[in-house]
Coordinates of all heavy atoms in Angstrom, one line a residue:
F1 N 47.5 109.2 59.3 CA 47.5 107.8 59.7 C 48.6 107.6 60.7 O 48.3 106.9 61.7 CB 47.7 106.9 58.5 CG 47.7 105.5 58.8 CD1 46.5 104.7 59.1 CD2 48.9 104.8 58.9 CE1 46.6 103.4 59.5 CE2 49.0 103.4 59.3 CZ 47.8 102.8 59.6
R2 N 49.8 108.1 60.5 CA 50.9 107.9 61.4 C 50.6 108.5 62.8 O 50.8 107.9 63.8 CB 52.2 108.5 60.8 CG 53.4 108.2 61.7 CD 54.6 108.9 61.1 NE 55.0 108.4 59.8 CZ 55.8 107.4 59.6 NH1 56.4 106.8 60.7 NH2 56.1 106.9 58.4
V3 N 50.1 109.7 62.8 CA 49.8 110.4 64.1 C 48.7 109.8 64.8 O 48.7 109.6 66.0 CB 49.6 111.9 63.8 CG1 49.1 112.6 65.1 CG2 50.8 112.6 63.3
T4 N 47.6 109.4 64.1 CA 46.5 108.8 64.7 C 46.9 107.4 65.3 O 46.4 107.1 66.4 CB 45.3 108.6 63.6 OG1 45.0 109.8 63.1 CG2 44.1 107.9 64.3
G5 N 47.7 106.7 64.6 CA 48.2 105.4 65.1 C 49.0 105.6 66.3 O 48.8 104.8 67.3
A6 N 49.8 106.6 66.3 CA 50.6 106.9 67.5 C 49.8 107.3 68.7 O 50.0 106.9 69.9 CB 51.7 108.0 67.2
L7 N 48.7 108.0 68.4 CA 47.8 108.5 69.5 C 47.1 107.3 70.1 O 47.0 107.1 71.3 CB 46.8 109.5 68.9 CG 45.7 110.0 69.9 CD1 46.4 110.7 71.1 CD2 44.8 110.9 69.2
V8 N 46.5 106.4 69.2 CA 45.8 105.2 69.7 C 46.7 104.3 70.5 O 46.4 103.8 71.6 CB 45.2 104.5 68.5 CG1 44.6 103.1 69.0 CG2 44.1 105.3 67.9
L9 N 47.9 104.0 70.0 CA 48.8 103.1 70.7 C 49.3 103.7 72.0 O 49.4 103.0 73.0 CB 50.0 102.8 69.8 CG 49.8 101.9 68.6 CD1 51.0 101.9 67.7 CD2 49.4 100.5 69.0
G10 N 49.6 105.0 72.0 CA 50.0 105.7 73.2 C 49.0 105.7 74.3 O 49.3 105.4 75.5
L11 N 47.7 106.0 73.9 CA 46.7 106.0 74.9 C 46.4 104.6 75.5 O 46.3 104.4 76.7 CB 45.4 106.6 74.3 CG 45.4 108.0 74.0 CD1 44.1 108.5 73.4 CD2 45.7 108.9 75.2
A12 N 46.4 103.6 74.6 CA 46.2 102.2 75.0 C 47.3 101.7 75.9 O 47.1 101.1 77.0 CB 46.1 101.3 73.8
G13 N 48.5 102.1 75.5 CA 49.7 101.7 76.3 C 49.7 102.3 77.7 O 50.0 101.7 78.7
T14 N 49.3 103.6 77.8 CA 49.2 104.3 79.0 C 48.1 103.7 79.9 O 48.4 103.6 81.2 CB 48.9 105.8 78.8 OG1 49.9 106.4 78.0 CG2 48.9 106.6 80.1
I15 N 47.0 103.4 79.4 CA 45.9 102.8 80.2 C 46.4 101.5 80.8 O 46.2 101.1 81.9 CB 44.7 102.6 79.3 CG1 44.0 103.9 79.0 CG2 43.6 101.7 80.0 CD1 42.9 103.8 78.0
L16 N 47.1 100.6 80.0 CA 47.6 99.4 80.5 C 48.7 99.6 81.5 O 48.7 98.8 82.5 CB 48.1 98.5 79.3 CG 47.1 98.0 78.3 CD1 47.8 97.3 77.2 CD2 46.1 97.0 79.0
M17 N 49.5 100.6 81.3 CA 50.5 100.9 82.3 C 50.0 101.3 83.7 O 50.4 100.9 84.7 CB 51.5 101.9 81.8 CG 52.4 101.5 80.6 SD 53.7 100.4 81.2 CE 54.7 101.6 82.1
I18 N 49.0 102.2 83.6 CA 48.4 102.7 84.8 C 47.5 101.7 85.5 O 47.5 101.6 86.7 CB 47.5 104.0 84.5 CG1 48.4 105.1 84.0 CG2 46.7 104.4 85.7 CD1 47.7 106.3 83.5
G19 N 46.9 100.8 84.7 CA 46.1 99.7 85.2 C 44.6 99.8 84.8 O 44.0 100.9 84.9
V20 N 44.1 98.7 84.2 CA 42.7 98.7 83.7 C 41.8 98.9 84.9 O 40.7 99.5 84.7 CB 42.5 97.4 83.0 CG1 41.0 97.3 82.5 CG2 43.4 97.2 81.8
D21 N 42.2 98.5 86.1 CA 41.3 98.7 87.3 C 40.9 100.2 87.5 O 39.9 100.5 88.1 CB 42.0 98.1 88.5 CG 42.1 96.6 88.5 OD1 41.4 96.0 87.6 OD2 42.9 96.1 89.2
S22 N 41.8 101.1 87.0 CA 41.5 102.5 87.2 C 40.2 102.9 86.5 O 39.6 104.0 86.8 CB 42.7 103.3 86.7 OG 42.9 103.1 85.3
L23 N 39.8 102.2 85.5 CA 38.6 102.5 84.8 C 37.4 102.4 85.7 O 36.3 103.1 85.5 CB 38.4 101.6 83.6 CG 39.4 101.7 82.5 CD1 39.2 100.6 81.4 CD2 39.4 103.1 81.8
A24 N 37.5 101.6 86.8 CA 36.3 101.4 87.7 C 36.0 102.7 88.4 O 34.9 103.0 88.8 CB 36.7 100.3 88.7
G25 N 37.0 103.6 88.6 CA 36.8 104.8 89.3 C 36.0 105.8 88.5 O 35.5 106.8 89.0
L26 N 35.8 105.6 87.2 CA 35.1 106.5 86.3 C 33.6 106.4 86.6 O 32.9 107.4 86.3 CB 35.4 106.2 84.8 CG 36.8 106.3 84.4 CD1 36.9 105.9 82.9 CD2 37.3 107.7 84.5
V27 N 33.1 105.3 87.0 CA 31.7 105.1 87.2 C 31.2 105.1 88.6 O 30.0 105.1 88.8 CB 31.3 103.7 86.5 CG1 31.5 103.7 85.0 CG2 32.0 102.6 87.2
N28 N 32.1 105.3 89.5 CA 31.7 105.3 90.9 C 31.2 106.8 91.3 O 32.1 107.7 91.3 CB 32.8 104.9 91.8 CG 32.4 104.6 93.3 OD1 31.5 105.3 93.8 ND2 33.0 103.6 93.9
P29 N 30.0 107.0 91.7 CA 29.5 108.4 92.0 C 30.3 109.1 93.1 O 30.4 110.3 93.0 CB 28.1 108.2 92.4 CG 27.7 106.9 91.8 CD 28.9 106.0 91.8
R30 N 30.8 108.4 94.0 CA 31.5 109.0 95.1 C 32.8 109.7 94.7 O 33.4 110.5 95.4 CB 31.8 108.0 96.3 CG 32.7 106.9 95.9 CD 32.9 106.0 97.1 NE 34.1 106.2 97.8 CZ 34.7 105.3 98.5 NH1 34.3 104.1 98.6 NH2 35.9 105.6 99.1
W31 N 33.3 109.3 93.5 CA 34.6 109.8 93.0 C 34.4 110.8 91.8 O 35.4 111.2 91.2 CB 35.5 108.7 92.6 CG 36.0 107.9 93.7 CD1 36.3 108.3 94.9 CD2 36.3 106.5 93.7 NE1 36.8 107.3 95.7 CE2 36.8 106.1 95.0 CE3 36.1 105.4 92.8 CZ2 37.1 104.8 95.4 CZ3 36.5 104.1 93.1 CH2 37.0 103.8 94.4
W32 N 33.1 111.1 91.5 CA 32.9 112.0 90.4 C 33.5 113.4 90.5 O 34.0 114.0 89.6 CB 31.4 112.1 90.1 CG 30.9 110.8 89.4 CD1 31.7 109.8 88.9 CD2 29.6 110.5 89.1 NE1 30.9 108.8 88.4 CE2 29.6 109.2 88.5 CE3 28.3 111.1 89.3 CZ2 28.4 108.6 88.0 CZ3 27.2 110.5 88.9 CH2 27.2 109.2 88.3
S33 N 33.5 113.9 91.8 CA 34.0 115.3 91.9 C 35.6 115.2 91.7 O 36.1 116.2 91.1 CB 33.8 115.8 93.4 OG 34.4 114.9 94.3
G34 N 36.2 114.2 92.2 CA 37.7 114.0 91.9 C 37.9 113.8 90.4 O 38.9 114.4 89.9
N35 N 37.1 113.1 89.7 CA 37.2 112.9 88.3 C 37.1 114.2 87.5 O 37.8 114.4 86.6 CB 36.2 111.8 87.8 CG 36.4 110.4 88.4 OD1 37.5 110.2 88.9 ND2 35.4 109.6 88.3
A36 N 36.1 115.0 88.0 CA 35.9 116.3 87.3 C 37.2 117.2 87.5 O 37.6 117.9 86.6 CB 34.7 117.0 87.9
L37 N 37.8 117.1 88.7 CA 39.0 117.9 88.9 C 40.2 117.4 88.0 O 41.0 118.2 87.5 CB 39.4 117.8 90.4 CG 38.5 118.7 91.3 CD1 38.8 118.3 92.8 CD2 38.8 120.2 91.1
A38 N 40.2 116.1 87.9 CA 41.3 115.5 87.0 C 41.1 115.9 85.5 O 42.0 116.2 84.8 CB 41.3 114.0 87.1
L39 N 39.8 116.0 85.1 CA 39.5 116.4 83.7 C 39.9 117.9 83.6 O 40.4 118.3 82.6 CB 38.1 116.2 83.4 CG 37.7 114.8 83.1 CD1 36.1 114.7 82.9 CD2 38.4 114.3 81.8
A40 N 39.6 118.7 84.6 CA 40.0 120.1 84.6 C 41.5 120.2 84.5 O 42.0 121.1 83.8 CB 39.5 120.8 85.9
A41 N 42.2 119.4 85.2 CA 43.7 119.4 85.1 C 44.2 119.0 83.7 O 45.1 119.6 83.2 CB 44.3 118.4 86.1
A42 N 43.5 118.1 83.1 CA 43.8 117.7 81.7 C 43.6 118.8 80.7 O 44.4 119.1 79.8 CB 43.0 116.5 81.3
I43 N 42.5 119.6 80.9 CA 42.2 120.7 80.1 C 43.3 121.8 80.3 O 43.8 122.4 79.3 CB 40.8 121.3 80.4 CG1 39.8 120.3 79.9 CG2 40.6 122.6 79.7 CD1 38.4 120.6 80.3
C44 N 43.7 122.0 81.6 CA 44.8 123.0 81.8 C 46.1 122.6 81.2 O 46.8 123.4 80.6 CB 45.0 123.1 83.3 SG 43.7 124.0 84.2
Y45 N 46.4 121.3 81.3 CA 47.6 120.7 80.7 C 47.6 120.9 79.2 O 48.5 121.4 78.5 CB 47.8 119.3 81.1 CG 48.9 118.5 80.4 CD1 50.2 119.1 80.3 CD2 48.7 117.3 79.9 CE1 51.2 118.4 79.7 CE2 49.8 116.6 79.3 CZ 51.0 117.1 79.2 OH 52.0 116.5 78.6
G46 N 46.5 120.4 78.6 CA 46.4 120.6 77.1 C 46.3 122.0 76.7 O 46.9 122.4 75.7

């Protein structure tokens, strides 16, 4: 429960810090190749 709560709060806080407007980039087809590269970076990081 403690780790899950920290994960949820941390992700929510990071989204608000980066900006909710950044979510718009997830659905725009012209940016999908960049989004795929960012996900690849996340997989490498993890």
Side-chain angles (χ1 to χ4, degrees):
F1 177 79
R2 184 185 293 270
V3 174
T4 302
L7 179 61
V8 171
L9 290 172
L11 293 178
T14 303
I15 291 172
L16 291 175
M17 290 283 292
I18 295 172
V20 179
D21 293 342
S22 60
L23 296 173
L26 299 176
V27 296
N28 192 324
R30 64 182 261 208
W31 290 325
W32 283 352
S33 63
N35 294 342
L37 286 167
L39 284 174
I43 292 173
C44 288
Y45 174 46

